[in-house]
Amino acid sequence: MRVSDASQNENRQLDAMTARGIPAEKIFSEKQSGKDTKRPALQALMNTVQKGDTVIVESISRFARNTKDLLVLVEKLTAKGVEFISLKENIDTATPSGKFMLTVFAAAAELERDYILQRAKEGIAAAKARGVKFGRPTKKPPENFGEIVAQWEKGKLPYEEVLRQTGLKHTTFYCRLREYRSATKK
């Protein structure tokens, strides 16, 4: 079982597993993105299964997020003599049609994920074109920034005091200093 983050609930998947009679100690569960296969519960599962076992998932998207990862994982299971069943897609690798359907559904799942990413990129581009700003808001220096910089440059104000008075962090201070010098350059 897998959900992407702690705010999500895996009860639907747990119900599917217990309905199949799978004991709690045989259920591997994690709250982590499925974008790659370097997930602790998945690795534990892959290291634990042995010949004659069957890995059951509620849906292929809970096991792997792209075709390549899914096929590599199922190939590793098959090499160990382990079958794979996805309840939602009704896939059972013990059958030839199950193996075929696994490939088809994996490709469809990857296509959907790619569409989601593409729509997100298009949405961000459209928002940027309308002037929407992303990221942290720019931290502006105080009105007396020039005076503070002048005192600092003359050695009359320690650097730590400059940061305190401007309310800026180290990197932001130097960024605003470059902008200030560029704007006041004659």
Side-chain angles (χ1 to χ4, degrees), residues 117-134:
L117 294 173
Q118 180 181 359
R119 286 190 301 265
K121 286 178 186 174
E122 290 168 354
I124 290 168
K128 284 182 177 179
R130 288 188 314 277
V132 174
K133 301 254 188 226
F134 289 87

Side-chain angles (χ1 to χ4, degrees), residues 35-84:
K35 68 182 179 184
D36 64 43
T37 59
K38 292 179 174 79
R39 305 186 319 258
L42 176 61
Q43 294 302 311
L45 168 74
M46 296 302 286
N47 292 332
T48 302
V49 294
Q50 49 192 300
K51 186 175 183 162
D53 287 345
T54 301
V55 171
I56 301 173
V57 297
E58 185 272 333
S59 70
I60 58 174
S61 68
R62 302 298 84 207
F63 191 59
R65 280 289 180 90
N66 64 59
T67 306
K68 180 184 171 205
D69 287 348
L70 177 63
L71 296 177
V72 166
L73 288 168
V74 172
E75 187 175 303
K76 286 179 181 179
L77 292 172
T78 303
K80 288 183 161 192
V82 175
E83 297 300 336
F84 176 80

